[in-house]
Amino acid sequence: MSTTDPTRSLVTSLIEDAVTAPSMHNAQPWKFVHRTGTDMIGMHGDPARGMQHQDPEHRALHLGCGAALFNLRVASAHHGLNAAVTLLPSSADPWHLADVRLQGPAVEDGLAVLHPVLRQRHTSRFPFSEEQIPSEVVDGLCAAALLEGCRLVVPGAWHTDTVLELVHDAQMFEAADEAVRAEIAAWTRTGAVGEGPETEGIPTYALGPRQYDVTAPVRDFDSSRRVPARSSAPFEKRPQLALLGTAEDDPENWLRAGQAMQRVLLQATADGLSTSLMSQPLEWPELRSVAREPGSTMGFVHILIRLGYGPKGRPTPRRPASEVLTFG
């Protein structure tokens, strides 16, 4: 097969892998276009799937699309192709986030080996054990972020306490903001009449148990207690956290951070770790600025990652490729 004209079935397969990426509230804010007769796949953001109140600048939207872009690179490498990426290729269209040119053969850059864990990686909102992650594993995750031009920082004890306090502050801000609570409810699937499609959003089975005492940074998507049968459980007392960020804060860096986030998550999955993501304290500008460790070369924090050993979580639904992929 010529790499200048990939088959429709191959492109569909690549996109099916790409969309296993995480996104804020599983909104899946991406669209893909394959230009028939070329080796090009375009990725576009879908602002209709953005969070107006929690993500007004669309930073989290770009992170999710960046994660899907990284998955596309992994899937391409698995098929023996090199995915050459151009970020933000059109100054006239800010929602044209990337162009991916499929070339061959694949460059040996450690991507193909991550393909087996694409569908094993799931967000886990369940308790983790207190077992410490070996330093060499943490170092490998930091190296994974560096490969994408980003930094992963593991906070020390006092910084961890600060971050956890910011999570609690964000929970109070959220509880007092009716518009934010309504936005979260709109993307939570409890089986009630009138909710959105089952192929998107956070289903009940992925909520995890309630925390007896709030010690881990896990967002409660059911703070209004619409799921009465949900159990409670104690979570780890000292959660193991990592902050991912960049030196600059603009759409290109958000896309890079999304790719780094996904590379870290896939590597963590390959290392036998469970993970969950937290953006809650970063959705409030007055809290986000405090999340960064003073003196760090990381200028802007984009995501908080919780790492540990515990239940892997179940896969959340994804829209079929037919809804996110068009052939032009």
Side-chain angles (χ1 to χ4, degrees):
M1 181 192 70
S2 170
T3 59
T4 60
D5 188 12
T7 64
R8 181 173 292 221
S9 61
L10 172 58
V11 172
T12 300
S13 176
L14 295 177
I15 300 308
E16 288 173 343
D17 279 343
V19 301
T20 61
S23 58
M24 189 175 189
H25 304 350
N26 194 29
Q28 304 167 55
W30 42 62
K31 295 184 290 187
F32 298 88
V33 177
H34 175 236
R35 301 161 197 172
T36 305
T38 75
D39 58 359
M40 188 77 72
I41 298 175
M43 184 182 73
H44 300 257
D46 186 352
R49 293 179 169 274
M51 307 297 154
Q52 177 182 354
H53 301 287
Q54 299 162 272
D55 186 36
E57 295 182 339
H58 302 296
R59 182 171 50 85
L61 184 152
H62 283 72
L63 291 178
C65 288
L69 179 61
F70 184 79
N71 277 1
L72 179 54
R73 291 167 52 199
V74 170
S76 299
H78 171 69
H79 286 279
L81 300 172
N82 177 53
V85 175
T86 301
L87 297 178
L88 302 174
S90 172
S91 59
D93 182 2
W95 293 111
H96 187 175
L97 302 185
D99 275 335
V100 179
R101 186 178 297 278
L102 302 177
Q103 303 169 328
V107 177
E108 184 55 49
D109 52 8
L111 293 179
V113 297
L114 295 174
H115 187 266
V117 297
L118 276 184
R119 297 174 187 272
Q120 296 176 23
R121 181 221 62 83
H122 310 304
T123 295
S124 177
R125 300 181 183 88
F126 293 84
F128 295 165
S129 74
E130 302 289 349
E131 180 181 353
Q132 291 295 299
I133 302 170
S135 58
E136 58 268 25
V137 173
V138 175
D139 290 345
L141 300 180
C142 294
L146 283 174
L147 287 172
E148 301 301 323
C150 300
R151 288 204 65 201
L152 188 73
V153 171
V154 176
W158 72 267
H159 191 195
T160 295
D161 290 340
T162 297
V163 171
L164 293 176
E165 288 174 5
L166 295 178
V167 172
H168 298 156
D169 290 343
Q171 291 170 337
M172 290 189 292
F173 286 4
E174 187 174 289
D177 194 313
E178 184 176 351
V180 168
R181 295 199 312 275
E183 197 167 62
I184 293 171
W187 291 97
T188 306
R189 303 290 178 256
T190 65
V193 176
E195 292 181 341
E198 295 181 354
T199 55
E200 58 193 43
I202 308 297
T204 299
Y205 63 76
L207 297 178
R210 302 185 192 281
Q211 295 192 49
Y212 275 130
D213 48 357
V214 182
T215 56
V218 178
R219 191 173 212 149
D220 189 349
F221 283 85
D222 185 39
S223 59
S224 59
R225 295 183 179 269
R226 294 186 293 158
V227 185
R230 194 164 154 229
S231 63
S232 299
F235 280 61
E236 63 270 26
K237 294 295 184 182
R238 296 300 300 179
Q240 299 177 82
L241 310 177
L243 303 172
L244 188 141
T246 56
E248 304 295 334
D249 195 32
D250 55 36
E252 181 173 341
N253 277 277
W254 302 340
L255 289 170
R256 294 188 187 284
Q259 292 177 86
M261 175 185 74
Q262 186 66 352
R263 187 161 199 152
V264 168
L265 293 176
L266 293 179
Q267 185 60 58
T269 302
D271 290 335
L273 297 174
S274 295
T275 60
S276 61
L277 300 171
M278 169 64 80
S279 63
Q280 201 171 11
L282 309 176
E283 295 162 17
W284 307 90
E286 58 269 49
L287 301 181
R288 185 187 178 208
S289 60
V290 185
R292 171 182 170 273
E293 183 175 3
S296 171
T297 57
M298 179 193 295
F300 300 91
V301 179
H302 298 305
I303 201 74
L304 168 63
I305 304 176
R306 170 176 165 252
L307 303 155
Y309 297 98
K312 302 298 182 183
R314 289 170 55 187
T316 49
R318 291 296 188 273
R319 293 187 289 161
S322 59
E323 290 188 15
V324 300
L325 171 62
T326 58
F327 293 89

